[in-house]
Amino acid sequence: MHMRLKTALLSGAAIGLALGAGAPVRAADMFSESAGLAPAVDVLNGKVEGFGGWADGRFGRSGDFVGGGLASVTLPLGERFGAQVDGIAASKRGDFVGGGAGHLFTRDPASYLFGVYGSGIGFDDRLNSWNAKIGAEGEAYFGRLTLSGVLGYERIGGGSSATERTRKGGSFFDYVDVSYYVTDDWKVSAGHRYTGRKHAAALGTEIALPVAGFDSSAFVEGRLGEKDYKAVWGGLKVYFGGGDKTLIARHRESDPPNWLKDDLFATSSRKRRSAGVTPPPPPPTCGGESSCGPCYPQ
């Protein structure tokens, strides 16, 4: 595995640990429990998910397949604060992708979430591509409607030359969703993504699907944007901790979103160059005579 990929993985893990370990637990205790607010995170919980689909190419073509797994652990920090650490391991067009993220937030499950977010992800492609983000995360709850998103700064790296690396640089990014719970166990969403200097529309749905006594769900998501930026994937999530909950309750009382699937498409993972023989140059053209000796290029 390339050194830059290892650096990106370590950076993502470090961000998650820093946000979790450095949380102001004592500050949380300053809030009075008599205020009647529910805790930011009700209990230690987690989730794992697997997904598969296609990105940036022809849907259904094996060479453009993307898939992998994600995991999150969310823990309460006193009454008013919480932290979450995310991880991803995936394959995109045959290249390994890995990284992590961290959330540190305060939340009233009846009205809002606000916090900070950081992530790092690396591609084991020929360009050693990587992407790192830092920003503010928020959610607002209005009955069955949820507004959620992350806004901040991202840095994109990797490249086969100093010029190519410089062109990548940094820029603003956003992940924004408007979600509506048709029922307590069925969510539909639409939103916007700007990452990797590409705008895209985001559509998705998730429905609770209890399996073997665990809270679980099935989901489908799609992206459609500029520069032929498109993707579709689907998969399953399994939730742990927190008891038997509806989908809307789990999303507002337990875990914030794991955004790392979108980081997969923040950097365009190019295919490795083939090791084939360089084709010979085309033969020179003749000067116009039908029977000449040596030919001279025009």
Side-chain angles (χ1 to χ4, degrees):
M1 187 181 293
H2 297 293
M3 183 60 66
R4 288 192 183 117
L5 174 59
K6 293 180 180 178
T7 302
L9 295 177
L10 290 174
S11 298
I15 290 170
L17 290 174
L19 291 177
V25 180
R26 292 184 180 179
D29 295 336
M30 295 173 61
F31 288 83
S32 171
E33 295 183 17
S34 63
L37 300 177
V41 179
D42 58 348
V43 67
L44 177 68
N45 66 89
K47 63 186 173 194
V48 294
E49 57 185 287
F51 70 97
W54 287 267
D56 297 334
R58 296 181 182 175
F59 297 155
R61 190 169 68 178
S62 60
D64 295 317
F65 177 79
V66 57
L70 298 93
S72 300
V73 176
T74 313
L75 62 154
L77 301 171
E79 285 293 310
R80 303 283 3 110
F81 291 90
Q84 179 169 298
V85 178
D86 303 325
I88 185 173
S91 174
K92 181 182 180 184
R93 305 183 72 176
D95 296 320
F96 175 76
V97 184
H103 315 241
L104 175 61
F105 57 91
T106 183
R107 173 167 57 185
D108 174 2
S111 56
Y112 70 88
L113 175 149
F114 181 75
V116 293
Y117 173 83
S119 69
I121 192 168
F123 293 73
D124 189 23
D125 60 7
R126 70 176 184 85
L127 300 182
N128 302 323
S129 304
W130 56 269
N131 179 281
K133 290 180 169 68
I134 186 74
E137 181 174 23
E139 296 183 348
Y141 313 129
F142 306 95
R144 292 190 175 276
L145 188 71
T146 297
L147 306 180
S148 58
V150 184
L151 309 176
Y153 175 82
E154 71 176 351
R155 185 80 180 178
I156 303 170
S160 57
S161 68
T163 300
E164 195 168 23
R165 287 191 291 271
T166 301
R167 285 175 180 170
K168 290 177 181 288
S171 69
F172 169 83
F173 82 92
D174 73 63
Y175 295 157
V176 179
D177 278 336
V178 179
S179 303
Y180 183 77
Y181 292 82
V182 181
T183 70
D184 288 351
D185 286 318
W186 179 23
K187 181 185 80 169
V188 294
S189 63
H192 175 264
R193 304 289 185 268
Y194 182 71
T195 183
R197 298 192 181 92
K198 295 189 292 280
H199 291 279
L203 300 172
T205 186
E206 182 179 359
I207 187 166
L209 189 70
V211 175
F214 291 102
D215 282 356
S216 56
S217 66
F219 62 90
V220 177
E221 298 183 48
R223 306 288 182 265
L224 182 62
E226 59 186 345
K227 300 179 183 178
D228 199 31
Y229 174 50
K230 56 184 180 293
V232 62
W233 64 83
L236 296 173
K237 294 181 186 179
V238 178
Y239 297 94
F240 302 94
D244 185 15
K245 288 185 176 181
T246 62
L247 196 64
I248 188 172
R250 186 166 289 278
H251 289 170
R252 295 181 179 182
E253 298 173 3
S254 300
D255 56 335
N258 184 330
W259 301 98
L260 287 172
K261 288 194 296 296
D262 274 299
D263 283 351
L264 274 175
F265 312 111
T267 303
S268 294
S269 177
R270 304 184 194 176
K271 297 295 287 180
R272 290 182 173 88
R273 289 174 180 168
S274 62
V277 179
T278 303
T285 58
C286 268
E289 296 183 10
S290 59
S291 60
C292 60
C295 285
Y296 300 93
Q298 291 182 329

